[in-house]
Amino acid sequence: MNALDLLLALALLLLAGAALLARSVQIGSVLFIAFGLLLALVWVRLGAPDVALAEAAIGAGVAGALLLLAASEFESRRIGSARTPEPRLPWPRPQRSRPRWTVGALALACAALLLLAVLGIEPLAGAATQAVAQALPQAEIAHPVTAVLLSFRAYDTLLEIAVLLVAALAVQAAPAPLHRPLPHDPVLARVAALTVPLALLVAVYLLWAGSSSSGGAFQAGAVLAGAVLLARFASLPLDSQSHFTRPPVLALGLAVFILVGVVAGALAGAALAYPAGWTKALVLTIEAALMVSIAATLVALFGGSKAA
């Protein structure tokens, strides 16, 4: 650990505290986005570029956008309620406490306990790492992260996709929020006309590169979701009728995953196993379907399916 790592750790703690103690929800959301981007740099320093990409795209980008959207909705409702005169009560109104400092102190205490727990972990003998390294050539996938997610621990990834599907369907079943139509912005339309095709190419590249280097379905899906949302905000013809967030598209990744797992598993003799010589092609097929479903899920969670 050098001076740069210590500076990053200190900046993370300061940003986390500032986000918890922010005076407004909007400021706290912006600080959360900055925290996520800085955390992505920390993952890069730890030699985990896949996690860094996911943190920057989903942890900071998508989650930050959701927080800003919720903060805007909260602020508009607060202003609307402030304009409505409240009836006088016959008893004094109780004072509301704002336990920001209490929450910040508890968060710092939890962080300190977590740090002590991590420092007290005994280094493992590396048996699991050696087992993965020995089985990696048989997986026919060069990148160890993709091999672990879709070969050695495919059940975990399958359940994660199922959870995302349930979350997206739950959001769509909730009452639709009211969205005012966005005014046409010619500058945004020109920028989006150049950015959206580039984002689509980046998504396809991240999907293809996931089998041999950093990338994969989650990172590609986040970039694809950003392209779809940017196209909607700029009133581009891409998915103008909200077909992208229909339930069949949301369930595409899970359906393809289960279909490949059953059919290929029957040929290979084990569930979620792949026949020899077909591993890379089947994994790319699963990841392509997952990319589409993950992007549709993120768009649905953001509220794109409800927007006018």
Side-chain angles (χ1 to χ4, degrees):
M1 181 178 293
N2 52 25
L4 178 59
D5 297 330
L6 291 176
L7 182 62
L8 286 175
L10 180 60
L12 278 177
L13 291 177
L14 291 177
L15 278 175
L20 289 173
L21 302 175
R23 293 183 177 272
S24 66
V25 183
Q26 289 87 347
I27 296 176
S29 301
V30 172
L31 291 174
F32 175 82
I33 295 174
F35 176 84
L37 294 176
L38 194 62
L39 187 60
L41 292 179
V42 172
W43 284 115
V44 171
R45 292 289 300 168
L46 292 174
D50 294 87
V51 183
L53 286 172
E55 176 62 36
I58 300 178
V62 177
L66 288 173
L67 286 176
L68 286 176
L69 184 65
S72 176
E73 184 71 18
F74 171 78
E75 187 66 19
S76 62
R77 291 189 179 185
R78 186 183 67 82
I79 294 175
S81 62
R83 293 176 178 176
T84 304
E86 297 183 0
R88 294 185 177 181
L89 300 176
W91 57 86
R93 182 183 298 275
Q95 297 293 329
R96 295 181 180 180
S97 60
R98 296 185 177 182
R100 287 197 180 99
W101 291 102
T102 304
V103 173
L106 289 176
L108 290 177
C110 291
L113 292 176
L114 182 60
L115 179 60
L116 292 176
V118 171
L119 293 177
I121 295 177
E122 295 290 337
L124 299 177
T129 304
Q130 294 177 3
V132 172
Q134 293 175 359
L136 191 60
Q138 302 177 0
E140 302 175 16
I141 304 174
H143 196 48
V145 175
T146 304
V148 169
L149 291 179
L150 291 175
S151 183
F152 303 123
R153 296 181 60 183
Y155 283 106
D156 293 353
T157 307
L158 180 64
L159 292 177
E160 290 174 3
I161 300 303
V163 170
L164 286 178
L165 175 61
V166 172
L169 294 178
V171 168
Q172 290 195 334
L178 297 177
H179 291 288
R180 292 177 297 178
L182 296 175
H184 178 69
D185 189 344
V187 177
L188 178 61
R190 288 181 178 273
V191 173
L194 297 175
T195 307
V196 169
L198 180 61
L200 296 178
L201 290 177
V202 171
V204 174
Y205 168 76
L206 288 175
L207 175 67
W208 178 258
S211 60
S212 57
S213 60
S214 300
F218 281 90
Q219 293 83 351
V223 175
L224 180 58
V228 173
L229 288 174
L230 181 59
R232 289 188 179 181
F233 294 153
S235 300
L236 295 181
L238 177 64
D239 189 39
S240 59
Q241 301 298 323
S242 301
H243 296 300
F244 191 65
T245 51
R246 298 290 176 85
V249 182
L250 294 172
L252 176 64
L254 183 63
V256 171
F257 207 148
I258 294 176
L259 179 62
V260 172
V262 172
V263 176
L267 296 176
L272 293 177
Y274 309 108
W278 287 87
T279 301
K280 185 174 182 179
L282 292 175
V283 166
L284 285 176
T285 301
I286 293 174
E287 288 215 310
L290 292 181
M291 176 189 69
V292 176
S293 291
I294 290 170
T297 300
L298 296 177
V299 173
L301 292 178
F302 189 75
S305 60
K306 308 287 187 182

